[in-house]
Every structure is written in C-alpha cells, then in structure tokens.
C-alpha cells in the first residue's frame, strides 16, 4: 500500500495540469478523462481492473505503476487486448522476463516502460558495501515472488566475482512471521552484509527479529521495503543506518513538463497538500502522466491505437524522472548489463538510480542521504552528499 500513497496526488496534479483538454497531433483540443482503479495489492485484481478499464470504460491509454505485482498483470492484459500501456516502478528485468518465461530478449507491441534494472542496484549496493570494512560475507534474503526471483537470479552470479561469499538459506514466502532459522544461519556463518528484497511488513518482522536474536551486520541493503520512511520508522531506532536503492528524490535536478515544477517544488506541494507529510519515492509515478500527455500531443488520430503507439515509440522528452528517449538505438544485448539511464531494451528506457542511507532526520524522524552515485553518469548532476556510515 505504501507504493500507492502518493498516487491520488499524482492524479490530482495531472488533472489540474490537463485542465479542459490537450491539443493533440491533429491540432484539435481533446478532453482527457483519468479513470483510476485500485488493485488492493493483488496481482489478479490488477489484471481484472485492467480488463474492466479496456472492455467497459474503453480507455485509449493505460498507465500503471507499483512493483511487478501490479505492472506485470496490467501490461500483460494490455498486450493481449491491444491497448497502449505506459508503466513505471518495476525493475525492467522483472517487467520483461516475468511476461516471457524468463526471456529477456522478448519484445512487445503495446507496452512500454521506464525504470531502472538490477544492474543499477548492484552497482550502487556494491559501491556502498565497499565503503564499510567487512568480512565480505553476505546474507541473502529473497522472497518467493516476481521481485524476489528476479533479484535472486540477478544477484547469484555477481557475488563470487565481486569477492563476496553469499549465504542463501532459500526463498521465503510472503507474510512469513518467523525468520529464526535464517537469522541463526547468518549468525553462525558470521555474515556482516545483508541484502535482499522484502515487502514492508515482512521486513519489519525480519529486522526486529534480527535485533532481538543478535544478528547485527555492519551494513544492510534491502530492496523495496526500505524505499519509504514509514518502513524505517516501523522498526524504530534499529532502522537508523539502513541502506537502499533510491529512484527519486526532491534534490534530483529534473523538472516536470506538465507542471513546470522542479522535483523539490513538486515534493513540497505534495507535503503541503498532505498536511506536512514526508515526501516519498513513488512521486516518480507522475512520469506516466507526463508521458501520456506528451504522446497525445504527438498523436494525429487519437481514435487509432496504432497511431498512438507510433507516438509512444518515438518518445523523446524530459520528465520529472529525467530524460527518456525511445528513439535512441537499443543497447547491445547483455548480460552483463550496463548501469545508468539508457534505451536498454526495445520496450524499456531506464531512469536513474542512486544509493541512499536512512539517518535520524532534522525535519522528519528519518531522512535519506545519497551515499552512492555509482550507477549514474556525472553529467546528470546527481551528487552524493556523504559516505556510508556503518550500522550502529
């Protein structure tokens, strides 16, 4: 649910910016209606909601975000029913492979995506780990879902070449309440680095039990769960110093083409409208509305989905999440994949990702500090403001 917290705000801002319509590629102003559906965090619901939007509401463009559990079933339904779909917030390997029986070379006609990949996570995590003296023994926690399996597949061949020894106790089921066996193994093996991917409530159980049972790594970098200040606050003081992937911050040097606001202004307006609530990374979801409007502005016949797709494929624009360019040549096939923003796949343009550390804040209980920019080129202007501090 934490992934969806800012979505109402993003819809409100898009609705306000669009106003009475968009002047499309035919030179005429067309009214735009945004219809929202809530998947209730269930993949089956997400697919069914997409089908309802297509069959009952007759949508011209689908936009979706928030992890493979939402993005994959929605994109799959759009591909099946022939509806343009623009998405965000799902690692690109999971976006492609989960829909194509693991084939990362598979391409799609109707569905296009912007987000980073596991190569970016690895570049930032390895850089953060190198900043702390450890015995290079890594405890791996991977969930038995689309995200967890994509992360495990991507990380397993990376550990040994990076000089790391991995301890992998096996996949865990979502909503696991007792992690005693895994923690006992990490303690006995002397693991000083933690890595993996969790949904937030599972991480809360895991990290509280780690503290209670005496497993205390020197650095811990867990995907997905630590994106949100609420997740860190839920474990209390033992959350101070945890590290994570960071895919959007108010300090990023980008501007929205829809509102004209900088990232900082967009985040500040969110806090203002949410009674002072702390900004959160899924504000990046606004990119799908910026993208959809840009596509409509270049579509000469909005009643023809093939024409809409032609505009999607030629997208080249600046967004609140950085520059995207689907007209650029596709990178040569990997692996190994190259970190950083690029047209990595026919249907995917990668947005930037950095590494961050949660620390006791000044305005809010916990605030993010950028401690690694290993996966972004210097010319983007995203800067690290400190080095990693070991876990207390």
């Amino acid at each position: 649910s934490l992934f969806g917290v800012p979505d109402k705000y993003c819809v409100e801002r898009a609705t306000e910016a669009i106003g009475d319509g968009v002047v499309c590629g035919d030179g005429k102003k067309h009214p735009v209606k945004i219809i929202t559906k809530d998947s209730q965090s269930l993949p089956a619901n997400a697919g069914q909601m997409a089908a309802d939007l297509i069959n009952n509401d007759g949508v011209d463009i689908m936009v979706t975000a928030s992890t493979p559990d939402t993005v994959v079933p929605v994109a799959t339904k759009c591909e099946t029913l022939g509806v343009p779909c623009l998405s965000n917030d799902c690692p690109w390997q999971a976006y492609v492979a989960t829909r194509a029986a693991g084939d990362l070379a598979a391409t799609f006609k109707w569905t296009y995506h912007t987000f980073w990949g596991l190569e970016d996570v690895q570049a930032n995590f390895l850089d953060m780990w190198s900043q702390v003296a450890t015995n290079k023994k890594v405890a791996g926690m991977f969930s038995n879902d689309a995200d967890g399996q994509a992360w495990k597949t991507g990380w397993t061949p990376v550990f040994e070449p990076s000089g790391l020894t991995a301890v992998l106790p096996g996949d865990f089921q979502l909503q696991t309440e007792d992690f005693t066996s895994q923690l006992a193994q990490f303690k006995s093996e002397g693991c000083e680095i933690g890595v993996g991917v969790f949904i937030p409530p599972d991480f809360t159980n895991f990290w509280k039990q780690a503290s209670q049972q005496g497993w205390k790594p020197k650095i811990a970098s867990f995907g997905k769960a630590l994106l949100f200040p609420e997740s860190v606050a839920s474990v209390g003081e033992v959350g101070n110093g945890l590290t994570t992937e960071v895919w959007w911050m108010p300090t990023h040097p980008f501007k929205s083409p829809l509102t004209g606001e900088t990232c900082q202004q967009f985040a500040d307006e969110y806090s203002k409208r949410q009674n002072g609530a702390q900004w959160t990374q899924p504000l990046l979801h606004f990119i799908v509305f910026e993208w959809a409007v840009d596509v409509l502005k270049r579509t000469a016949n909005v009643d023809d989905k093939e024409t809409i797709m032609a505009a999607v494929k030629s997208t080249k624009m600046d967004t609140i999440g950085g520059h995207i360019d689907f007209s650029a040549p596709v990178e040569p096939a990997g692996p190994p994949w190259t970190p950083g923003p690029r047209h990595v796949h026919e249907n995917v343009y990668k947005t930037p990702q950095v590494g961050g550390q949660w620390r006791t804040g000044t305005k809010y209980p916990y605030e993010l500090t950028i401690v690694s920019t290993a996966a972004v080129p210097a010319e983007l202007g995203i800067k690290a403001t400190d080095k990693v501090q070991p876990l207390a």
Side-chain angles (χ1 to χ4, degrees):
S1 63
L2 292 176
F3 281 90
V5 166
D7 285 346
K8 182 179 178 182
Y9 170 76
C10 290
V11 172
E12 287 176 353
R13 297 305 311 276
T15 301
E16 293 167 4
I18 291 168
D20 61 355
V22 172
V23 177
C24 298
D26 58 5
K28 301 175 183 178
K29 180 179 282 189
H30 293 265
V32 175
K33 181 179 181 181
I34 300 174
I35 305 169
T36 60
K37 298 285 186 181
D38 179 4
S39 72
Q40 299 178 321
S41 301
L42 297 171
N45 279 10
Q48 183 58 53
M49 294 295 182
D52 290 345
L53 286 164
I54 295 167
N55 295 323
N56 299 329
D57 295 300
V59 296
D60 299 291
I61 299 176
M62 188 82 69
V63 296
T64 184
S66 299
T67 83
D69 285 342
T70 304
V71 172
V72 168
V74 172
T76 299
K77 189 64 67 174
C78 289
E79 193 70 25
T80 300
L81 298 178
V83 172
C85 178
L86 312 179
S87 56
N88 179 253
D89 188 358
C90 168
W92 78 263
Q93 286 95 340
Y95 172 81
V96 176
T98 308
R99 302 164 60 201
D103 182 9
L104 285 172
T107 58
F108 312 100
K109 178 178 179 180
W110 298 99
T111 51
Y112 281 69
H113 185 66
T114 60
F115 209 52
W116 42 260
L118 291 175
E119 65 276 18
D120 303 289
V121 175
Q122 290 162 353
N124 287 315
F125 280 20
L126 291 171
D127 179 53
M128 291 191 294
W129 299 346
S130 73
Q131 298 177 38
V132 176
T134 70
N135 61 5
K136 298 188 181 299
K137 287 190 174 182
V138 183
M141 289 292 295
F142 299 106
S143 52
N144 188 22
D145 64 352
D147 250 349
Q149 295 309 292
W151 279 59
K152 183 178 73 172
T153 300
W155 270 106
T156 302
V158 169
F159 292 122
E160 187 175 344
S162 302
L164 302 165
T165 300
V167 177
L168 305 175
D171 305 339
F172 66 92
Q173 300 297 320
L174 296 184
Q175 300 181 332
T176 292
E177 295 184 358
D178 186 358
F179 293 97
T180 299
S181 63
Q182 295 97 325
L183 291 167
Q185 187 172 354
F186 298 155
K187 284 177 63 179
S188 66
E189 298 276 359
C191 297
E192 294 184 347
I193 301 171
V195 69
V197 60
F198 287 90
I199 59 173
D202 286 354
F203 176 76
T204 299
N205 285 336
F206 172 78
W207 198 241
K208 283 184 175 180
Q209 289 171 32
S211 177
Q212 293 162 359
Q213 297 176 30
W215 180 57
K216 298 179 180 180
K218 294 182 178 180
I219 183 169
S221 309
F222 294 106
K224 188 153 68 172
L226 296 177
L227 299 170
F228 316 105
E230 297 92 338
S231 299
V232 184
S234 72
V235 297
E237 183 56 31
V238 292
N240 191 30
L242 290 166
T243 51
T244 185
E245 75 274 20
V246 178
W247 25 277
W248 191 87
M249 285 187 73
T251 54
H252 279 11
F254 309 132
K255 183 179 286 189
S256 169
L258 257 188
T259 69
E261 294 169 319
T262 63
C263 292
Q264 188 66 62
Q265 291 168 333
F266 189 71
D268 289 346
E269 182 65 18
Y270 170 76
S271 296
K272 178 181 175 182
R273 296 191 187 198
Q274 303 298 319
N275 299 315
Q278 189 171 358
W279 67 271
T280 182
Q281 292 196 56
L283 284 167
L284 176 63
H285 295 175
F286 195 62
I287 195 174
V288 297
F289 296 107
E290 297 172 333
W291 189 6
V293 169
D294 181 78
V295 166
L296 289 173
K297 287 180 176 178
R298 294 181 289 106
T299 300
N301 181 0
V302 294
D303 295 317
D304 179 49
K305 290 181 172 55
E306 295 278 1
T307 306
I308 293 174
M309 285 311 305
V312 171
K313 294 174 184 177
S314 59
T315 296
K316 183 178 182 179
M317 64 181 297
D318 293 318
T319 75
I320 201 152
H323 187 69
I324 58 175
D325 184 3
F326 282 90
S327 68
V330 177
E331 292 274 327
W337 310 100
T338 305
R342 64 192 69 246
H343 193 187
V344 72
H345 179 279
E346 175 65 31
N347 301 88
V348 181
Y349 196 93
K350 291 204 299 174
T351 49
Q353 188 216 92
V354 296
Q357 184 169 39
W358 288 103
R359 297 178 181 173
T360 301
T362 53
K363 185 175 181 180
Y364 300 102
Y366 295 97
E367 296 173 350
L368 267 176
T369 297
I370 297 179
V371 290
S372 175
T373 56
V376 294
E379 57 264 28
L380 279 188
I382 302 174
K383 294 181 171 59
T385 54
D386 201 1
K387 292 290 186 180
V388 176
Q389 297 174 1
L391 285 167

